[in-house]
């Protein structure tokens, strides 16, 4: 049952990310997804192996449910937050949607803990998981800003080569 | 509670292997004439880093912990260079692929060559004490994973290439 619910939520997330109006380019999305996977998997490993404050299921459907959550649902939801936060010419930054997704992500994490799919060994970790997600978002936001700087240099180099041709 | 396995507690061959491997990779990345726009070059670097991180943190940790890297079964600072080493490796994979403009028929040979090279590199890492295999895992399984991962990288390259072509048009 857990696997079915996890897969359905992952699929709904995929549908949502496919249909939302995109303010980021494909390259930005790929960059963010890679960064998020690296950061989340490393931090989960540190929390699990080094500090022993999270326990992941060892066997069966629960393991797959968590893997789907870690590889699909959580990074894609964070990608949607970044997309909503990105200002564009047509649309302003959508703070309400970003906060709603962030709350949804935290609640989903608490639900996983409630059903003993992920076990938080210490109470304050469970309560502060939302802040941990916020920190992750801030770090990735900084990296995205750095990455998007190359848009400008790229446009400039195209502009320069066009001018040289003229 | 997961018990930590300590393989080694000195700064020796395995750390040097990671650091030297990373430095050589970065040297080639910086010195080779650039072939890709900066944004794409970063993605090609990240591609290896992401797949390496995922392998180390999913196959290499619980529930099965098929292999460990570095001095202990935990994640520590000495694991960072070996993790970052995957980045220049994937960059060079894409660089050479783009440079030699390989024909479609020869792509499987290119993938096989890189998978063999990766396995050799991993074997050297094992000799240096960087990789420690557990639960029946051995380099042959890594070789199969490399075949799969490098095939995904080729698909990724063509997706990016198509995307760039559409942008230029």
């Amino acid at each position: 049952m857990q696997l079915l619910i996890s897969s359905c939520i992952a699929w709904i997330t995929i549908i949502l990310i496919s249909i939302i109006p995109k303010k980021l380019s494909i390259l930005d999305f790929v960059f963010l997804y890679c960064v998020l996977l690296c950061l989340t998997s490393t931090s989960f490993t540190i929390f699990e192996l080094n500090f022993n404050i999270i326990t992941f299921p060892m066997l069966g459907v629960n393991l797959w449910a968590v893997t789907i959550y870690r590889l699909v649902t959580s990074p894609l939801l964070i990608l949607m937050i970044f997309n909503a936060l990105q200002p564009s010419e047509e649309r302003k930054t959508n703070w309400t949607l970003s906060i709603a997704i962030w709350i949804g992500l935290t609640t989903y994490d608490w639900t996983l803990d409630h059903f003993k799919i992920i076990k938080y060994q210490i109470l304050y970790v469970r309560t502060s998981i939302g802040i941990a997600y916020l920190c992750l978002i801030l770090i990735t936001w900084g990296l995205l800003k750095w990455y998007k700087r190359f848009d400008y240099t790229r446009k400039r180099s195209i502009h320069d080569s066009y001018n040289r041709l003229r | 509670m997961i018990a930590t396995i300590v393989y080694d507690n000195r700064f020796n061959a395995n750390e040097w292997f990671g650091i030297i491997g990373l430095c050589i990779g970065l040297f080639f990345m910086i010195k080779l004439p650039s072939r890709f726009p900066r944004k794409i070059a970063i993605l090609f670097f990240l591609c290896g880093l992401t797949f390496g991180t995922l392998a180390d943190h999913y196959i290499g940790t619980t529930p099965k912990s098929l292999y460990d890297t570095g001095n202990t079964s935990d994640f520590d600072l000495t694991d960072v260079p070996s993790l970052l080493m995957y980045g220049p490796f994937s960059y060079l994979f894409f660089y050479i692929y783009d440079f030699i403009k390989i024909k479609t028929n020869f792509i499987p040979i290119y993938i096989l060559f890189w998978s063999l090279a990766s396995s050799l590199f991993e074997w050297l890492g094992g000799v240096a004490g960087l990789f420690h295999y557990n639960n029946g895992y051995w380099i042959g399984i890594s070789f199969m994973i490399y075949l799969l991962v490098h095939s995904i990288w080729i698909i990724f390259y063509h997706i990016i290439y198509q995307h760039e072509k559409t942008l230029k048009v």
Side-chain angles (χ1 to χ4, degrees):
Chain A
M1 194 62 184
Q2 286 93 330
L3 181 61
L4 179 70
I5 294 168
S6 180
S7 310
C8 286
I9 293 173
W11 202 251
I12 290 166
T13 318
I14 292 170
I15 292 170
L16 285 176
I17 204 147
S18 320
I19 58 172
I20 53 164
K22 313 281 185 304
K23 295 185 209 164
L24 291 163
S25 72
I26 293 175
L27 297 184
D28 295 334
F29 273 116
V30 176
F31 172 80
L32 278 174
Y33 186 70
C34 289
V35 168
L36 285 169
L37 279 186
C38 287
L39 288 178
T40 50
S41 59
T42 307
S43 48
F44 273 130
T45 302
I46 292 171
F47 287 147
E48 188 190 18
L49 293 183
N50 294 45
F51 300 127
N52 293 305
I53 51 177
I54 300 179
T55 309
F56 290 113
M58 293 288 182
L59 290 168
V61 286
N62 281 0
L63 172 68
W64 286 105
V66 171
T67 308
I68 290 171
Y69 166 68
R70 285 171 69 181
L71 288 180
V72 182
T73 316
S74 109
L76 290 189
L77 283 173
I78 300 174
L79 278 184
M80 281 165 62
I81 293 178
F82 281 111
N83 191 62
L85 284 175
Q86 203 64 34
S88 70
E89 284 165 11
E90 296 135 28
R91 286 187 173 82
K92 284 180 184 171
T93 302
N94 194 337
W95 287 101
T96 323
L97 182 64
S98 311
I99 293 166
I101 298 170
W102 172 64
I103 292 169
L105 190 64
T106 312
T107 316
Y108 189 34
D109 227 274
W110 285 340
T111 315
L112 290 175
D113 180 55
H114 180 76
F115 288 109
K116 306 282 178 225
I117 298 171
I118 290 178
K119 283 178 201 154
Y120 291 110
Q121 304 293 350
I122 307 166
L123 186 69
Y124 76 82
V125 178
R126 190 188 311 160
T127 47
S128 56
I129 196 74
I131 298 163
Y133 274 123
L134 204 60
C135 293
L136 176 75
I137 291 166
L138 285 175
I139 294 167
T140 319
W141 180 258
L143 286 168
L144 179 68
K145 280 263 174 198
W146 168 79
Y147 186 67
K148 281 186 78 65
R149 264 188 9 202
F150 299 116
D151 277 343
Y152 171 71
T153 47
R154 198 166 165 213
K155 276 177 196 155
R156 199 176 56 185
S157 67
I158 292 168
H159 183 74
D160 288 349
S161 50
Y162 176 73
N163 279 347
R164 270 200 302 274
L165 281 174
R166 286 180 77 195
Chain B
M1 188 77 124
I2 300 152
T4 307
I5 306 166
V6 179
Y7 297 99
D8 174 20
N9 49 18
R10 291 192 196 145
F11 192 93
N12 47 22
N14 67 65
E15 285 84 6
W16 282 117
F17 185 85
I19 292 167
I20 292 168
L22 177 64
C23 290
I24 292 172
L26 287 176
F27 174 80
F28 279 114
M29 265 187 77
I30 294 161
K31 285 291 168 191
L32 284 170
S34 93
R35 288 191 70 80
F36 312 113
R38 192 71 65 87
K39 282 192 95 166
I40 290 171
I42 292 167
L43 283 191
F44 287 160
F45 179 90
L46 259 183
C47 196
L49 188 61
T50 309
F51 276 90
T53 311
L54 288 182
D56 282 5
H57 295 319
Y58 282 85
I59 309 171
T61 61
T62 54
K64 283 282 176 200
S65 189
L66 295 175
Y67 68 89
D68 292 320
T69 50
N71 289 347
T72 64
S73 57
D74 285 355
F75 183 80
D76 51 46
L77 268 182
T78 57
D79 290 341
V80 176
S82 63
L83 206 58
L84 289 174
M85 206 166 63
Y86 294 115
F89 199 83
S90 66
Y91 179 82
L92 291 175
F93 174 90
F94 290 113
Y95 189 96
I96 297 169
Y97 183 76
D98 188 70
F99 181 73
I100 58 178
K101 303 242 179 297
I102 201 154
K103 283 182 183 169
T104 318
N105 305 355
F106 295 106
I107 290 173
I109 297 173
Y110 185 77
I111 292 170
L112 178 70
F113 169 78
W114 271 88
S115 302
L116 287 170
S118 309
S119 303
L120 178 71
F121 201 70
E122 189 182 315
W123 177 75
L124 287 173
V127 171
L130 183 64
F131 299 108
H132 312 275
Y133 302 132
N134 308 315
N135 298 319
Y137 190 87
W138 64 297
I139 205 158
I141 301 173
S142 290
F143 174 71
M144 289 187 285
I145 294 172
Y146 287 133
L147 284 175
L148 178 70
V149 166
H150 292 155
S151 308
I152 295 170
W153 286 2
I154 296 284
I155 297 167
F156 178 70
Y157 171 87
H158 284 282
I159 291 170
I160 296 288
Y161 183 80
Q162 281 302 322
H163 174 257
E164 278 302 286
K165 227 163 64 172
T166 8
L167 275 189
K168 275 173 193 162
V169 171

